[in-house]
Structures are given as C-alpha cells and as structure tokens.
Amino acid sequence: MKNLQERMEGLDALIATRLSGATVGFQPIPGEVPVIQVVIGGREELPIFVTASKTQILCVCYLWTDAEVIPERRAELMEVLLELNPTIPLSSFGRINERYMLFGALSREARAEDLANEIATLSDNALDALDALATYLA
Amino acid sequence: MGVIGKLLSLVRGSARELGESIVDANGVRIYEQEIHDAKTAIAQAKVDLTGVVAKEMQSAREIEQARAEIARLEGLAVEALEKEKNALAEEVAAKIAEREVELEKQTQLHAEYAVQANRLKELIKASEAKIREHERAVQMTRTAESVYKATQSIADNIGTSGSRLVSARESLERIKKRHEDLNDRIVAAEVLDRELGDHTLEAKLAEAGIGEDSARKEKILARIRARRAAPTA
C-alpha cells in the first residue's frame, strides 16, 4: 500500500486543472498519523487536510468553530446541515472537537484522479457552504 | 456490530479524551487477540474436520463391504439349506451374525462422524462470522482513532502556525475580496487594453482618415455606384 506522501505525488497538477489553474501547494503536518495540508491559491484561508488510515483516505476542510455559531440559530443550523448532507456532491458536514467541517472519504484504493477530484470538489463545496451558511455565524 | 454505539458513547462522553483512549476504550487489543484465537481455532477445526471426514468415508466403505459380505453369506446359507446341509447353514448364520454386529458398529460410528463433521463445520462458520465482526470493529475503531489523531495534529499545527486565527466570516470575506480584486484586475486590464492598446490607436487613426480601414467604406460605395451607373449587358 502506497503511503500518503507517495499518493499525493503529481496530484497538485491534477487538482490545479480542476480548479482552472489555481496554484496548489502541499505541506505535511507533523504528528502521529500522516496528514498533508493542501493550500489552494486564492483560498488560503480554507486549506484541505488529507489524512489516511488503513481503510480510507479522508479529506477535511474546517469551516468554523462552535464559538462562532450564533447561539439562537444553532439548532436551526444543525437541522440545515443534516438536510444539506445528502444533497451535496461528494462532501458531508461533520464536527470534531467543536470544529465544524466539510469532509469526503475515499477508499485507500481510489485512483489519483478520484482523489484530485475529491479535493477540488471539497474546496469548491467548502467555499460555497461557508458563503451560504455565514448567516448562522457571528 | 455495536461498534457505532460504542463510538457514540465515546463522542458523547469526553471528546477531549477520545484521541488518546479510543483504541483501548473499545477493547481493540482484546478484539485483535480474539481474531487471532478464532483464526487458530479455525485452522485446528479444519485439520480435525479433514480427519473426521476421512474416517466417515472409511466407515462408509466398511459398511458397504459388510453389507456385501452379509449378502454373499446369506446366499451361501440359502444354498446350504437347499442342499439340506443344516450344520453348514448354521455355521454360515453364525458368520452372518458376526458381520451384522460389525455392520451395526460401523453404522453407529458413521453417524457419529457425520455429527462431528457437522459440528466442526458450524464451528468454522461461527468463527469466521466472529472474525468478520471483530475485524469490522477493529477497522472502525482504528479509523476513528486515526481521524481523531489527525484532527489533533491539525489543531496543534493551526495553533502554532497561527494560520487560522481569523474567524470563518473573515476568511470568507478575504477570499471574496481577493476574488473581487482579481475580477477588478481583469476588467481593468480589459479597459486599459481598450484605451491604450493597438485597438484604440487603430480607431484613432481611422478617425483621422489614416490607414486602410478609413477609406474602405467610401471605396465600396464608389464601387457600387460605378456598377449601378454602368450595368453590364
């Protein structure tokens, strides 16, 4: 099984193609499990984090923290996220440790093209979601 | 089964402790030991099964032989009776009795082997199901742990590099502004191009009656007028 770093080789060009030539940079994040940060030109504030376990490749884009949600609109936001989840192509909303995220998971056997597509789609979706849901944020 | 339930109680409990204890809390090492044990049990059961099935086949063969022998002896007994050799017929009957005892013993053994074989087959099936179930539990738990650890690394990294000190709203506004700036620059470039580029120069020259294009309209009109004035026959 290829490691994450090997899997990401040459992927920047594939992602850039899908994002009309935006610059794409990779940066490994130190830690116990492999994580690579993908920074897309023009969207530096919304990096994508790619991590791999034995069973899957997970791509995550952090959206906002619990503290940023307008308290009175929190319950409504939860409902909206649940309802949106099945309709968004390839990406789903989630939350870990008070951080809301949009994420997509792939099999470890996924092709490079699929991974590039996943990352590009996630970036588009994240920006779109943030724009659409900013009304719930302080 | 039941792995998501365990994950759920962990998520609901203390999210902070998740990263460190998720594998231990879900007894992954116990599951892994059980998977190992189940695999060993299956291997042993398969060896046992081979032996039992071989014995089952052997007893089947012996039953077959005993039956054939009894049939042969019965034929001989009939012949002896026909020839009124009663003493001989009795001797044969005694042999038949021996064979029948043997047949009964083999039949009983054969049935026991069949039961044993079935039990072993079921044991193997159950062990395989257990392995599948445990492997799913281990995979899910390990994946959950990996995700939490990854999030932890990312959070630490964001914390130290300060790459995300701004709020989501601010991020969005920055991205949008950058996008607008880019659009503005594209529009500005087009305007500049129109104003300063060759385009404008050509237009100005034409306006001043300089260059090829300036007189084109007049030339065409003159051509058409000439044709009208002198229609071809």
Side-chain angles (χ1 to χ4, degrees), chain A residues 91-113:
Chain A
S91 315
S92 308
F93 290 104
R95 194 183 71 177
I96 288 186
N97 289 343
E98 285 144 37
R99 284 172 193 275
Y100 287 73
M101 59 173 71
L102 200 65
F103 70 93
L106 292 98
S107 147
R108 274 304 295 245
E109 280 81 44
R111 298 172 309 150
E113 288 79 8

Side-chain angles (χ1 to χ4, degrees), chain B residues 88-119:
Chain B
L88 258 178
E90 253 175 64
E91 233 176 279
V92 175
K95 263 259 182 309
I96 291 174
E98 268 171 41
R99 288 293 173 187
E100 271 184 355
V101 170
E102 177 69 15
L103 177 63
E104 268 167 38
K105 202 181 111 200
Q106 285 300 334
T107 310
Q108 207 183 329
L109 272 176
H110 187 262
E112 275 169 26
Y113 292 144
V115 168
Q116 270 185 40
N118 272 336
R119 215 179 43 227

